[in-house]
Amino acid sequence: MKGRPLRFTPRRDAGLFAFERALAHGGFSPVAGVDEAGRGACAGPLVVAAVILQGGRGRIDGLTDSKLLTPARREELYAEITERAYAWSAIVIPCHDIDRIGLHRCNVTGMRRALAALDKRPAYVLSDGFRVPGLDVPGLAMIKGDQAAACVAAASIVAKVTRDRIMVELHERYPQYGFDVHKGYVTRAHGEALTAHGPCPEHRFSYVNVGRALRNNGDVGLGEETEGEVSGEGRAEGARA
């Protein structure tokens, strides 16, 4: 292995780029961060993003957990990340896949797909929350990784902005639910809309609140259910700067 061994774990107060610096010092470069958006929603897709920030050109000020940023600031950072990142990708997993095989399985599969879609192969992977099994490179699961590592924070922003844009598009098709405001998450307004109108095809029918609304408002066509892996019908995008 090239480089010197990794001799320490960076402190959280050492800055968001400390983990990438330490891993590069130990010979692991480039480092990819991976994160998701939409895990807690009951409507809309799950979006998983992977980002590699490399060298001085990849250093972006203001990165943090996407949920701590205003929508306008997220959009600004999204544009900067997608322009300056060494590599990035975003995978969109539709709601019917979540119903068919389960949220966690979609999340893990989406992380693998997002990493595989990068134009550059990472030497190490940092993931938010839980590890990504089945990779051919080492990785580390980080609690609140989007507040501890720059590449994970960048991935959280790419995932969040990508998903928010999709939910705004869905609002045009289903304006009665207010997807442009709550983005498919469980809010009082969303619950009231579900009670009044029942679920639409973009809701996750395996969720308790959506199933209850379905029973109270009549059947909605779900399509044929099958067992298996994520279908791959979701959109994917990415670029090398």
Side-chain angles (χ1 to χ4, degrees):
M1 182 183 69
K2 295 181 179 180
R4 289 172 288 178
L6 189 63
R7 298 181 183 277
F8 66 96
T9 300
R11 301 189 313 272
R12 283 187 176 269
D13 61 358
L16 278 184
F17 288 87
F19 272 93
E20 282 101 322
R21 287 197 302 268
L23 287 165
H25 179 80
F28 296 100
S29 182
V31 179
V34 61
D35 200 4
E36 51 74 25
R39 185 178 176 89
C42 67
L46 180 73
V47 177
V48 185
V51 175
I52 296 175
L53 299 173
Q54 181 71 2
R57 185 170 180 266
R59 190 177 184 89
I60 298 172
D61 294 330
L63 292 175
T64 187
D65 177 2
S66 62
K67 296 183 291 297
L68 302 178
L69 299 167
T70 65
R73 184 56 178 150
R74 281 197 299 264
E75 286 284 349
E76 291 173 356
L77 286 169
Y78 174 91
E80 196 170 355
I81 292 163
T82 54
E83 178 183 354
R84 295 171 55 191
Y86 192 47
W88 69 275
S89 68
I91 300 295
V92 181
I93 300 174
C95 57
H96 56 77
D97 276 348
I98 296 171
D99 287 333
R100 184 167 56 90
I101 68 172
L103 178 64
H104 181 71
R105 191 172 173 186
C106 282
N107 202 346
V108 172
T109 302
M111 287 183 171
R112 287 197 293 259
R113 288 176 56 194
L115 291 164
L118 292 171
D119 287 339
K120 292 294 183 180
R121 180 179 180 273
Y124 202 95
V125 172
L126 298 175
S127 57
D128 184 41
F130 52 88
R131 61 183 292 271
V132 186
L135 300 180
D136 59 356
V137 297
L140 175 68
M142 309 178 71
I143 298 174
K144 295 185 178 179
D146 44 14
Q147 298 178 41
C151 57
V152 181
S156 77
I157 292 168
V158 171
K160 175 66 173 169
V161 171
T162 300
R163 188 177 186 279
D164 282 358
R165 290 176 177 179
I166 292 170
M167 298 309 295
V168 170
E169 291 175 4
L170 289 178
H171 174 72
E172 299 299 320
R173 293 167 55 189
Y174 307 103
Q176 65 270 36
Y177 298 102
F179 289 150
D180 61 328
V181 177
H182 54 68
K183 307 300 189 294
Y185 287 90
V186 181
T187 66
R188 182 173 181 177
H190 193 182
E192 290 173 351
L194 270 172
T195 299
H197 304 289
C200 76
E202 295 299 330
H203 279 95
R204 302 175 185 178
F205 291 89
S206 57
Y207 283 42
V208 172
N209 61 328
V210 178
R212 183 187 306 117
L214 178 65
R215 292 191 296 272
N216 293 338
N217 287 273
D219 293 336
V220 174
L222 304 185
E224 183 179 357
E225 295 186 2
T226 58
E227 296 294 332
E229 290 292 338
V230 172
S231 66
E233 296 173 359
R235 289 180 286 173
E237 58 180 328
R240 176 184 171 189

